[in-house]
Amino acid sequence: MIYAVFAPLLFAILVPWISKHKDRIHTGIFVFFIPFIIFLYFIQFVGADFSPIRETYNWVPSLNMNFDFYLDGLSLLFVLLISGIGSLVVLYSVFYLEKSERLGHFYVFLLMFMAAMLGVVLSDNVFVLYAFWELTSISSFLLIGYWNFKERSRYGALKSMLITVFGGLSLLGGFVLLTVITGTTSIQGMIEQVDVILASKYLPLILTFILLGAFTKSAQFPFHIWLPDAMEAPTPVSAYLHSATMVKAGIFLVARFSPIFAGYEGFFISVSLVGIVTLCWGSYMAVRQTDLKGILAFSTISQLGMIMAMLGFGTEAAVFAAVFHILNHATFKGSLFMVAGIIDHETGTRDIRKLGGLITLMPMTATLAVFATFSMAGVPLPFLNGFYSKELFFDATIDLEGAAWLSQAIPYLAVLGSIFTFVYSMYFFFGVFTGPKQLEQLPKKPHEAPFGMLISPIILVLGVILIGIFPEMVNAPFLQHAAESVNKNVEYHKVYFWHGFNTPLMMSLTVVGAGIILFVTRRKWDKVYHVLPGKLSFNRVYNFIVEKMDTYSAAITNTYMTGSLRTYMVLILGATLIVTAGYMFLTDGFTINVGNLAEVTVLEVAVVITIIIGAIATLFMRNNIAAILVTGIVGYGVATLFVIYRAPDIALTQLVVETVSIALFLLCFYHLPNLQKREEAPKTKLTNFFISAGFGLLITLVGISAHSSDWFDSISSYFVENSYKLGGGDNIVNVILVDFRGLDTLFEIAVLGIAALAVVALIKMKKKKGAE
Amino acid sequence: MIRPNNLILRTTTSLIAFLLLGFSIYSFFAGHNAPGGGFIGGLMTAGAILLLYMSYGIETVDEMLPINYTTLISSGLAIAVGTGVGSFIFGAPFLSHTFGYFHFPIFGEVELATAMLFDLGVYLTVVGVVMTIILTIANDQE
């Protein structure tokens, strides 16, 4: 099974070489065999006596991250959809894409996506699932932005990326929580520990995280906004990703985890509510679109909402209907996208206002469209599979348990959403194929598509009809297992076209009746869109957020990244001051202990007072030379202190260093202009004062506290004892410097050397620059 | 520009500079047992040379002491590192020092320590660094 998952990726490596010969033979022809072989491999598992298969390949065993593939009914359904529709889409793209396009890129992205999708549906390990999940987001991003010279493509790709990755990251959060709670990374292992998860106090959080991931991927309200913009992708991509596979990844995730969450009422409320709202909103908005793919995009949103709602119901009838509808939707929506692509390809436009009367010019396409749209609308005819799943959907909405307010409203909302579904399906078909011909408005002269382009939609429409006529054909060997893996209590349903005069049938007839009336009178009520959504749109929210994040983060950065060193110093010192002082106060860190102080002599006091006067005087000097000389007072004062405290080496060093550095300052400042008296606002002066005074006080207090807390004995006695014995010298300071701690000295002289070379470099470089 | 007569300065300089040099060399050698050492010795030597530069001018002293101070830095660092690496020959860790007492004809019994070699590296580096910095800045004609 691992070969099946990774075959597309491995083959993708070869695609660039193959695409070099695209002038002679279309790259897609080679690519076609990959999904087709995978399809043939998986079809062998279909059968009434199928039982789940598990295969494990080590990846990171120490983190329990392994390629743990689990093939049950649900994954099998998705795997067949992915590989089956994948083959058809590749076949279609062979005729759709010109050889002048960058075919290598296209098929590499497509194969990446295929592998990612297979990985998502087959993984049992949550982290591997997450990895594949993000790979679908990335490859979808690449595919949407395939025509990257178009501004709309880049916008759509970015939007879908931001929204789906946002959801993907929250999904990761949910997975981590689940792993921590259950101690396993396997989904089946988690299902075995349902009680532990349901008892956990993090349950609402986990559910929110996972549902955010599923809703963003499956374009559920209000995250549906990326899907209409993703229609900028080439049509085969829209047909594959944005109708049949990727948008169903969220559905798959909810279905996969519903054995865990089904016992929790929050799951029913959130999933059903979001699903049913998406159904209504998507179908309502679809009628308003003028772009063929726009209609299909909103139609996809609404159909996904319907499946999501059914999974939320979680009853046996609903689960079966959901699984059935996943299959049906993939067949008719895939073919509709291909039909839209054919119309675009042969007429040069997708604008429904310019199209019309194509039924005589493109009879084959029209025939395909009629089956697909009528199936989508749920017209009660015995050869349309859409009708069956819609009927099952109505059946499932009737007897719901749980949250009364929601259960009561759902059947009405379902009918409402389906009415609009009917309207846009009719709008799509009759808008394109009937009415007056407007040939002068079309960029190309329309004619029937080449046969190769028609093969794939024909196969899909045949699927629509065959499932419509013989629903039992896919039911027992296939759908039953899928439904069982979502809810193991599902019993075998027999699907009938005719099951008596009952509520679901009445609902269907209501839908058809009201739908026809609304469709015919469409012109009269379409002003309603000026009221709702009117100016309300989640696109505006998205644009607002993206734009404001940009401007606000720029504004925030500009407030503190001023380029002024003074501001940075204020920030650094102020933060140190607040954090250190605050922490010391909170932990009672400031201690003052006067027990271990030495006697103070008059000489020391005199020297210290001189130093203080010198230090304060430097602040008020307006002349360079004077300032340097006054600073010297401090330096020599410190040297005197060293003498008093009996540190002759340091005193000598301090004296000489002070002298040399004063000489250096004089040398440098000779070239510099005189110090300017800076005119600063009183507020700035005050800040400077408080920061410097506070910082000085803090350091003083820290010093006193450090002196007051005598935690460890000094190690100096070791040096006193061993200086002569081990180092052969009486001068302890020198022995420490060159012998005990010679490494420090080595690097200090290295620092000095570097400083000298840096000075040379600075001055020599400046000269060179001047010469140029 | 009026050239001042620096007779007193120059005369005292020739005396003091040699006193300074002598003292710096003394404190370098005395470093192991009395205050002093490579760092102070180096600084003082640099001070003596600086004094020469100040009273005699750059051209004269450059002729008198044709030393490349940047080379001094690198040779000082090389000696310091060399004493450290030298301890490997005797199978000891980096920068291990040893010392011994030797009898010389004139000086009598003298203590010689390998740490002194290390200090020589420090001394040369410090002289080189101070002179390089100050001469570079002073020579900058802008």
Side-chain angles (χ1 to χ4, degrees):
Chain A
M1 219 183 291
I2 193 168
Y3 299 110
V5 174
F6 284 101
L9 279 183
L10 293 176
F11 189 74
I13 297 171
L14 299 178
V15 166
W17 278 292
I18 297 175
S19 71
K20 277 183 187 159
H21 307 287
K22 66 179 179 184
D23 294 332
R24 264 169 287 161
I25 186 159
H26 199 285
T27 318
I29 292 169
F30 295 101
V31 177
F32 169 76
F33 291 102
I34 295 297
F36 192 62
I37 290 168
I38 296 174
F39 182 76
L40 290 182
Y41 170 71
F42 280 109
I43 200 118
Q44 60 164 322
F45 295 108
V46 176
D49 51 350
F50 169 75
S51 62
I53 301 168
R54 171 185 292 278
E55 281 177 26
T56 301
Y57 303 90
N58 279 353
W59 184 25
V60 192
S62 55
L63 295 176
N64 281 327
M65 260 185 235
N66 296 315
F67 291 107
D68 200 354
F69 296 119
Y70 183 73
L71 184 73
D72 63 352
L74 186 66
S75 351
L76 186 62
L77 168 65
F78 275 93
V79 163
L80 289 179
L81 280 182
I82 293 161
S83 54
I85 296 189
S87 333
L88 296 178
V89 161
V90 172
L91 191 63
Y92 176 77
S93 69
V94 169
F95 297 94
Y96 184 84
L97 289 176
E98 306 289 330
K99 282 178 180 169
S100 55
E101 300 271 7
R102 291 164 306 148
L103 293 178
H105 289 65
F106 181 80
Y107 287 109
V108 167
F109 300 157
L110 198 71
L111 286 169
M112 252 169 77
F113 173 78
M114 199 178 286
M117 209 52 218
L118 288 171
V120 165
V121 299
L122 284 172
S123 295
D124 189 41
N125 187 301
V126 282
F127 294 112
V128 174
L129 194 157
Y130 171 73
F132 283 119
W133 185 274
E134 292 297 21
L135 190 58
T136 62
S137 297
I138 293 166
S139 47
S140 155
F141 167 79
L142 292 169
L143 283 166
I144 296 170
Y146 177 63
W147 285 317
N148 54 21
F149 46 85
K150 286 204 276 186
E151 206 269 330
R152 294 290 308 168
S153 289
R154 297 198 300 269
Y155 172 78
L158 182 65
K159 193 175 190 178
S160 77
M161 181 79 161
L162 285 176
I163 293 178
T164 53
V165 168
F166 160 73
L169 286 173
S170 95
L171 184 67
L172 179 64
F175 283 165
V176 169
L177 276 176
L178 272 178
T179 312
V180 171
I181 290 172
T182 59
T184 171
T185 51
S186 152
I187 298 172
Q188 296 305 319
M190 287 169 186
I191 292 174
E192 282 164 20
Q193 299 190 44
V194 171
D195 301 336
V196 181
I197 298 170
L198 287 182
S200 161
K201 61 178 177 198
Y202 295 112
L203 182 61
L205 196 62
I206 297 173
L207 185 67
T208 314
F209 279 159
I210 291 190
L211 288 186
L212 267 180
F215 288 168
T216 49
K217 200 75 159 182
S218 280
Q220 298 294 296
F221 189 87
F223 306 109
H224 62 276
I225 49 170
W226 67 266
L227 189 59
D229 283 305
M231 290 302 128
E232 295 301 323
T235 304
V237 172
S238 309
Y240 189 41
L241 275 69
H242 308 124
S243 73
T245 54
M246 184 173 97
V247 287
K248 291 212 172 91
I251 301 275
F252 169 80
L253 194 75
V254 171
R256 183 52 100 203
F257 280 91
S258 62
I260 296 179
F261 297 118
Y264 177 53
E265 195 175 22
F267 176 76
F268 165 69
I269 295 177
S270 48
V271 178
S272 308
L273 185 65
V274 169
I276 207 92
V277 168
T278 313
L279 164 65
C280 295
W281 185 253
S283 57
Y284 172 70
M285 290 299 287
V287 184
R288 185 196 185 200
Q289 306 300 315
T290 53
D291 178 47
L292 288 185
K293 281 171 85 175
I295 301 174
L296 293 177
F298 275 102
S299 146
T300 304
I301 292 168
S302 119
Q303 302 276 334
L304 291 169
M306 177 173 147
I307 301 174
M308 196 62 97
M310 287 191 272
L311 287 173
F313 301 162
T315 56
E316 295 155 32
V319 166
F320 179 77
V323 170
F324 194 18
H325 198 65
I326 290 173
L327 177 66
N328 293 344
H329 177 247
T331 54
F332 64 70
K333 190 54 64 66
S335 57
L336 274 179
F337 267 108
M338 291 174 185
V339 164
I342 290 172
I343 294 167
D344 184 17
H345 205 263
E346 304 306 334
T347 64
T349 181
R350 297 197 314 246
D351 192 333
I352 199 163
R353 289 167 299 190
K354 293 182 186 166
L355 296 165
L358 294 181
I359 193 160
T360 48
L361 294 168
M362 303 168 77
M364 280 296 288
T365 318
T367 318
L368 295 173
V370 75
F371 283 111
T373 49
F374 279 48
S375 176
M376 179 161 77
V379 175
L381 289 172
F383 47 83
L384 297 174
N385 59 2
F387 170 69
Y388 294 92
S389 42
K390 187 140 286 184
E391 193 88 333
L392 287 168
F393 170 55
F394 288 146
D395 193 19
T397 58
I398 298 170
D399 303 310
L400 288 175
E401 291 165 11
W405 54 275
L406 187 60
S407 308
Q408 307 266 315
I410 281 177
Y412 298 100
L413 288 171
V415 170
L416 181 71
S418 303
I419 292 172
F420 281 104
T421 307
F422 187 88
V423 175
Y424 72 68
S425 304
M426 296 304 118
Y427 170 54
F428 183 94
F429 177 73
F430 290 108
V432 175
F433 292 104
T434 63
K437 289 178 193 163
Q438 310 174 28
L439 295 181
E440 70 286 350
Q441 288 199 29
L442 297 177
K444 288 184 188 173
K445 191 171 156 44
H447 56 81
E448 187 56 89
F451 180 68
M453 213 182 228
L454 286 168
I455 298 173
S456 300
I458 286 174
I459 292 174
L460 285 173
V461 167
L462 277 179
V464 168
I465 297 169
L466 282 177
I467 297 173
I469 300 176
F470 310 109
E472 286 308 303
M473 181 184 68
V474 292
N475 186 356
F478 188 38
L479 294 177
Q480 182 58 25
H481 297 300
E484 269 167 12
S485 35
V486 181
N487 182 341
K488 57 177 178 294
N489 299 324
V490 175
E491 286 177 13
Y492 183 67
H493 276 67
K494 223 162 164 24
V495 182
Y496 298 105
F497 171 67
W498 180 255
H499 36 84
F501 273 110
N502 50 13
T503 327
L505 185 67
M506 299 313 292
M507 289 161 91
S508 287
L509 292 179
T510 315
V511 167
V512 175
I516 291 174
I517 294 169
L518 277 182
F519 172 65
V520 174
T521 60
R522 198 172 76 254
R523 298 262 171 258
K524 299 211 169 69
W525 56 268
D526 64 3
K527 288 190 182 61
V528 74
Y529 288 106
H530 295 298
V531 184
L532 186 77
K535 293 198 168 175
L536 294 172
S537 156
F538 285 99
N539 279 318
R540 280 169 181 255
V541 178
Y542 166 83
N543 289 336
F544 181 80
I545 291 174
V546 169
E547 201 176 294
K548 289 299 166 190
M549 282 219 288
D550 237 28
T551 50
Y552 278 119
S553 54
I556 289 171
T557 312
N558 286 339
T559 50
Y560 69 91
M561 286 282 174
T562 53
S564 145
L565 289 180
R566 186 195 155 265
T567 316
Y568 300 154
M569 282 311 283
V570 167
L571 286 177
I572 293 170
L573 293 183
T576 317
L577 185 62
I578 291 165
V579 172
T580 318
Y583 185 76
M584 295 277 277
F585 269 118
L586 287 179
T587 57
D588 240 355
F590 293 119
T591 51
I592 295 177
N593 173 16
V594 289
N596 56 354
L597 296 185
E599 291 288 316
V600 181
T601 62
V602 183
L603 187 58
E604 283 165 33
V605 175
V607 173
V608 168
I609 287 174
T610 320
I611 293 178
I612 291 174
I613 291 172
I616 292 175
T618 48
L619 294 179
F620 298 97
M621 288 298 147
R622 296 280 162 253
N623 183 290
N624 281 336
I625 311 289
I628 293 162
L629 293 178
V630 175
T631 319
I633 296 177
V634 178
Y636 290 123
V638 171
T640 322
L641 276 185
F642 285 137
V643 173
I644 297 172
Y645 293 135
R646 278 165 292 171
D649 292 273
I650 306 178
L652 270 172
T653 313
Q654 171 70 19
L655 267 176
V656 184
V657 166
E658 190 64 34
T659 313
V660 172
S661 50
I662 286 178
L664 205 59
F665 276 134
L666 289 175
L667 216 53
C668 290
F669 280 143
Y670 179 75
H671 297 284
L672 293 180
N674 237 339
L675 283 173
Q676 299 287 317
K677 184 174 163 45
R678 266 194 277 173
E679 293 300 331
E680 278 168 340
K683 210 179 135 194
T684 322
K685 275 187 181 169
L686 205 66
T687 322
N688 287 355
F689 175 75
F690 274 116
I691 296 259
S692 45
F695 202 74
L697 191 68
L698 177 73
I699 297 299
T700 313
L701 283 176
V702 169
I704 293 174
S705 307
H707 181 77
S708 302
S709 39
D710 197 7
W711 285 11
F712 306 103
D713 287 336
S714 167
I715 57 165
S716 55
S717 56
Y718 172 83
F719 294 121
V720 176
E721 281 164 21
N722 293 303
S723 161
Y724 191 78
K725 243 188 287 177
L726 297 178
D730 285 328
N731 183 347
I732 302 174
V733 174
N734 192 270
V735 171
I736 291 176
L737 282 180
V738 299
D739 198 337
F740 289 137
R741 308 280 304 266
L743 199 63
D744 295 0
T745 313
L746 183 61
F747 285 107
E748 274 156 26
I749 57 176
V751 167
L752 287 178
I754 291 166
L757 294 182
V759 168
V760 173
L762 271 176
I763 287 176
K764 291 278 157 70
M765 296 295 251
K766 192 188 74 181
K767 275 188 173 168
K768 265 186 195 161
K769 234 181 186 175
E772 279 166 15
Chain B
M1 191 176 161
I2 307 155
R3 278 188 68 85
N5 192 346
N6 285 335
L7 188 63
I8 298 175
L9 179 66
R10 290 191 176 178
T11 317
T12 43
T13 297
S14 23
L15 186 66
I16 291 173
F18 280 96
L19 279 179
L20 263 176
L21 269 180
F23 184 64
S24 71
I25 289 164
Y26 163 74
S27 57
F28 167 68
F29 279 111
H32 221 50
N33 293 306
F39 205 83
I40 299 163
L43 279 174
M44 281 182 180
T45 309
I49 301 173
L50 267 184
L51 190 61
L52 289 176
Y53 270 103
M54 281 163 80
S55 45
Y56 288 101
I58 288 174
E59 293 86 7
T60 325
V61 185
D62 276 348
E63 261 174 49
M64 225 158 68
L65 297 170
I67 303 170
N68 184 347
Y69 294 106
T70 17
T71 322
L72 219 55
I73 300 178
S74 39
S75 50
L77 283 173
I79 291 172
V81 174
T83 53
V85 174
S87 56
F88 289 149
I89 300 172
F90 304 100
F94 186 63
L95 273 178
S96 303
H97 289 302
T98 182
F99 58 93
Y101 297 91
F102 302 94
H103 197 81
F104 287 102
I106 304 171
F107 299 98
E109 185 152 273
V110 170
E111 179 202 352
L112 287 179
T114 52
M116 199 64 118
L117 278 174
F118 182 79
D119 233 8
L120 181 67
V122 176
Y123 174 88
L124 292 177
T125 313
V126 170
V127 174
V129 166
V130 174
M131 293 317 297
T132 309
I133 292 179
I134 290 187
L135 287 183
T136 315
I137 293 176
N139 274 327
D140 184 23
Q141 304 293 339
E142 264 183 77

